[in-house]
Amino acid sequence: MSNGDLSNRYSKSVHGFPTPKFLCTPAVGVNISDHSIKILELIPKKDYMILGRHENIKVPDGIISSGIVKNEEDFVNILRKAKKDLDLHFIRASVPEENAYSFNITLPNLSEKELYDTIKFQLSEHVPLTQEEAIFDYDIVGICGENTDISVSVLPKKVVNQYVNFFKQAELIPIALEIEAQAMARSVVKNDDKETTMIVDIGRTRTGVSIVSGHVVQYTATLDMGGDSFISAIQKAKDITFEEADILKQKHGFIKGENSEFYEILVNSLAALKDELLRRFDYWTTHISKNKTEGKEIQKVVLVGGNATMPGLREQLESALSVPVKIGNVWVNTGSFDKYIPEIDFNHSLGFASAIGLALSKET
């Protein structure tokens, strides 16, 4: 989403032409969450990209909560320090997923302007915002006969304006704002991958779920649970510190073996996440069936985020969801490892998925 006239869309699908390469402004991806700001730059070479400036900045508790900035002064100071330390200017930023809405809609085949006007008119039927309160973008999923299937992403104008103002105070120039799920999909779904994919981003306190089909994010949800819930379960059962429980979580995970005690604790705490993911599967299946669309069932799940590599987690989810579950490769669209291997280790790279997707964007 552009930060120009914030009441309008500025995607290439509206203008009808992709941005010429000589007008594409190089920018650094900036992914903001409650507990961190991840910054990453990709530098293009002939047929691959190399890692440029990057940083994982921890955000102290209380500054951002559920995507809403609670302490504006401290937040802006963090951005100012990042600008100075990394010499930042132009950025492509994601708005925390908790503030976003998405929905699918089917409309008659219309011109681009008519599609935009019709979606705008119907916004309040799908999200708790009026036309005046919302900024939206859309992607055409497909055309079937006389109808067009559309995926719509919506952000509150108030939230977008706030973030733009924070960037302005920090003397950063945001050339695009984007929903986190869109950036993440650009990072972990290979450009030629046609399968319908569920992306599960397991962070500290929340889990982002998105479903990508035809390279379009068609469903998003934020679950109020994350890796910290596993740590808390161990901490409570063993009466140890949070830090000690975190070490045990990373060491033993969901591998039973000789650690059946930890296994039972973690499996019980994972049950809620499994149930929520299964609900999303059922919703998607029902949605597909209702629209009589074939061949778009969820075919695989990709795990990203700081907790994606917990021992045994992939196997637990694969058993529950009955589709292949794999750990994401956030570099899949940056080039071959035969030519270049980024200097971020694999486990830490999973937390940079959205920042990498933002850096990969070519829209202004």
Side-chain angles (χ1 to χ4, degrees):
M1 293 186 182
S2 168
N3 61 68
D5 178 352
L6 292 173
S7 65
N8 295 320
R9 295 177 67 247
Y10 278 77
S11 75
K12 65 183 180 183
S13 61
V14 165
H15 292 302
F17 298 96
T19 306
K21 289 185 178 180
F22 67 87
L23 289 179
C24 290
T25 306
V28 177
V30 177
N31 172 231
I32 299 168
S33 66
D34 285 4
H35 302 288
S36 69
I37 299 176
K38 294 182 174 66
I39 300 172
L40 187 138
E41 176 187 34
L42 292 173
I43 301 172
K45 296 297 181 180
K46 185 177 181 181
D47 54 358
Y48 62 97
M49 295 182 173
I50 66 172
L51 181 64
R53 293 165 288 180
H54 61 281
E55 188 70 57
N56 180 10
I57 301 169
K58 291 185 178 180
V59 176
D61 291 345
I63 293 180
I64 307 175
S65 178
S66 298
I68 301 298
V69 177
K70 300 295 186 179
N71 188 325
E72 298 182 6
E73 182 179 357
D74 285 356
F75 179 63
V76 171
N77 284 338
I78 292 172
L79 292 176
R80 283 174 176 156
K81 187 176 187 305
K83 172 185 168 56
K84 179 180 179 181
D85 292 347
L86 297 175
D87 190 27
L88 300 178
H89 299 283
F90 296 101
I91 63 171
R92 301 178 190 274
S94 66
V95 176
E97 201 71 28
E98 293 91 336
N99 296 306
Y101 303 93
S102 64
F103 63 90
N104 288 1
I105 188 172
T106 299
L107 296 173
N109 296 336
L110 301 169
S111 69
E112 290 175 351
K113 184 180 185 307
E114 289 171 328
L115 279 177
Y116 173 77
D117 290 341
T118 303
I119 295 169
K120 183 177 181 180
F121 181 75
Q122 296 186 16
L123 270 183
S124 59
E125 298 177 20
H126 300 274
V127 299
L129 298 169
T130 66
Q131 295 179 23
E132 292 73 24
E133 294 171 331
I135 300 171
F136 71 94
D137 197 358
Y138 72 86
D139 288 290
I140 295 176
V141 177
I143 297 175
C144 184
E146 298 181 354
N147 293 321
T148 302
D149 294 328
I150 299 166
S151 178
V152 184
S153 301
V154 188
L155 288 170
K157 185 183 295 185
K158 178 181 178 180
V159 172
V160 172
N161 285 340
Q162 285 177 335
Y163 273 95
V164 170
N165 182 52
F166 296 146
F167 295 139
K168 182 178 180 181
Q169 290 182 56
E171 298 183 342
L172 294 168
I173 304 171
I175 63 175
L177 295 180
E178 195 167 1
I179 291 176
E180 187 175 358
Q182 294 170 328
M184 190 170 295
R186 189 180 300 117
S187 167
V188 300
V189 178
K190 196 172 182 180
N191 290 332
D192 59 0
D193 187 347
K194 304 300 182 183
E195 293 185 335
T196 297
T197 302
M198 173 183 277
I199 301 173
V200 180
D201 173 25
I202 308 176
R204 277 188 52 190
T205 57
R206 61 92 167 157
T207 295
V209 180
S210 56
I211 299 175
V212 183
S213 187
H215 283 280
V216 176
V217 175
Q218 299 190 35
Y219 174 85
T220 63
T222 301
L223 310 180
D224 190 22
M225 59 188 74
D228 283 6
S229 62
F230 303 134
I231 301 174
S232 296
I234 297 173
Q235 181 185 16
K236 182 178 179 181
K238 302 296 293 180
D239 192 24
I240 56 179
T241 67
F242 189 88
E243 291 73 20
E244 291 170 331
D246 188 19
I247 293 172
L248 291 174
K249 180 199 76 170
Q250 296 293 346
K251 179 180 179 181
H252 300 296
F254 298 91
I255 304 299
K256 193 170 185 179
E258 299 177 357
N259 307 297
S260 58
E261 182 182 9
F262 296 108
Y263 176 80
E264 295 299 331
I265 293 170
L266 286 173
V267 165
N268 289 336
S269 65
L270 182 63
L273 178 58
K274 287 181 179 178
D275 289 344
E276 288 296 331
L277 294 179
L278 283 168
R279 283 182 57 201
R280 271 61 190 182
F281 259 76
D282 291 342
Y283 168 79
W284 181 259
T285 301
T286 302
H287 171 78
I288 292 300
S289 175
K290 185 174 69 172
N291 287 281
K292 300 179 180 179
T293 303
E294 297 181 357
K296 288 193 176 181
E297 294 81 5
I298 297 171
Q299 293 160 290
K300 65 175 179 293
V301 174
V302 174
L303 301 181
V304 293
N307 290 276
T309 57
M310 281 183 62
L313 176 61
R314 184 191 67 79
E315 292 81 0
Q316 285 285 328
L317 294 180
E318 189 168 85
S319 175
L321 302 175
S322 300
V323 296
V325 177
K326 65 178 185 177
I327 308 299
N329 174 10
V330 299
W331 309 105
V332 70
N333 291 316
T334 65
S336 170
F337 286 154
D338 293 335
K339 297 182 178 179
Y340 173 74
I341 298 177
E343 299 88 48
I344 300 179
D345 70 78
F346 180 79
N347 286 357
H348 285 96
S349 73
L350 293 169
F352 280 88
S354 293
I356 292 169
L358 289 162
L360 281 168
S361 175
K362 294 181 173 62
E363 292 195 24
T364 58

